[in-house]
């Protein structure tokens, strides 16, 4: 099983729709979680951290389900500008050495007019 | 804003050439990383560094070396470029703890012919 798994998509959704992506992780000791956004031919950029209690930033909601070992990203009222690839990032609990950061391969979102 | 600057956006090199990719960050970050990104494989860690003159191998270090003579600069070296090193190379930096997230450079698209 991969350490971090994402559905590659693409998710094709109409403008205004609500869309959700999941990201599953295999290391139960994982501690920190993030969502990054990557536009075509650009670098990944931090979208939001994922907190245990869930968190919201405008139209974006991130949630963590430790029991089932996945994080989710919900986008409400999709805009054309939301079209991008969304990467999840998982960082394990620091055991004193290097914290192995694992990136998912990304889920592609295409918002259609 | 943290800036991570990669010296070249596009590079074309010949097989067997020695290639230097430079990365500079301006936020006094301790940690710097080199990744390559390939379709379907996601981001793979090549090397990282936690301090000046310190380096650690990532998941795919073969064919690469690094140098960190100053805190702000982390260089990736392809000792003898090969066609399978054609890829997007991304430099990243972060302070401590890693849970603050990464800032990436804009990437170098390297083609080895």
């Amino acid at each position: 099983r991969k350490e971090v798994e994402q559905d590659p998509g693409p998710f094709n959704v109409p403008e205004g729709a609500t869309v959700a992506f999941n990201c599953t992780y295999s290391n139960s000791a994982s501690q920190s979680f993030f969502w990054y956004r990557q536009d075509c031919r650009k670098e990944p950029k931090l979208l939001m951290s994922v907190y245990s209690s869930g968190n919201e930033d405008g139209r974006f909601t991130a949630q963590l389900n430790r029991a089932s070992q996945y994080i989710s990203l919900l986008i409400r009222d999709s805009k054309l500008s939301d079209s991008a690839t969304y990467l999840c990032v998982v960082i394990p609990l620091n055991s004193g050495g290097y914290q192995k950061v694992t990136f998912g391969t990304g889920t592609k979102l295409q918002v259609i007019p | 804003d943290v800036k991570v600057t990669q010296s070249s956006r596009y590079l074309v090199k010949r097989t067997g050439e020695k290639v230097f990719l430079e990365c500079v960050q301006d936020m006094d970050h301790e940690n710097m990383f080199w990744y390559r990104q390939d379709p379907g494989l996601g981001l793979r860690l090549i090397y990282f560094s936690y301090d000046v003159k310190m380096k650690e191998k990532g998941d795919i270090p073969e064919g690469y070396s690094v140098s960190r003579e100053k805190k702000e600069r982390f260089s990736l070296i392809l000792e003898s470029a090969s066609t399978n090193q054609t890829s997007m190379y991304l430099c990243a930096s972060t302070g401590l703890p890693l849970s603050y997230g990464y800032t990436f450079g804009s990437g170098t698209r390297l083609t080895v012919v």
Side-chain angles (χ1 to χ4, degrees), chain A residues 97-99, chain B residues 23 25 28-35 45-59 65-76 90-96 98 102:
Chain A
Y98 167 62
Q99 291 175 283
Chain B
C23 175
Q25 50 95 4
D28 201 34
H29 279 170
E30 294 84 0
N31 308 295
M32 297 187 75
F33 307 83
W34 275 106
Y35 288 87
L45 180 63
I46 304 171
Y47 267 96
F48 62 98
S49 170
Y50 279 150
D51 203 349
V52 176
K53 296 193 186 294
M54 177 274 180
K55 58 186 177 184
E56 291 288 343
K57 292 179 180 179
D59 298 319
S65 62
V66 290
S67 172
R68 196 165 180 199
E69 295 296 318
K70 294 184 178 181
K71 190 174 185 179
E72 67 270 19
R73 185 180 298 270
F74 192 35
S75 304
L76 180 70
L90 288 157
C91 176
S93 78
T94 183
L96 289 174
L98 291 183
Y102 282 25

Side-chain angles (χ1 to χ4, degrees), chain A residues 38 41-44, chain B residues 4-13 19-24 33-38 43 46 64 74-76 78 85-92 104-112:
Chain A
Q38 186 173 24
R41 295 186 176 275
K42 297 284 184 73
E43 74 275 20
Chain B
V4 179
T5 303
Q6 293 184 230
S7 53
S8 303
R9 193 66 195 271
Y10 298 95
L11 273 180
V12 179
K13 296 291 182 180
V19 181
F20 293 86
L21 302 183
E22 305 287 343
C23 175
V24 178
F33 307 83
W34 275 106
Y35 288 87
R36 65 177 282 178
Q37 187 176 30
D38 301 286
L43 282 155
I46 304 171
Y64 304 94
F74 192 35
S75 304
L76 180 70
L78 285 67
Q85 292 178 311
T86 292
S87 186
M88 168 70 98
Y89 289 88
L90 288 157
C91 176
F104 284 89
S106 54
T108 297
R109 190 166 292 277
L110 173 67
T111 302
V112 182

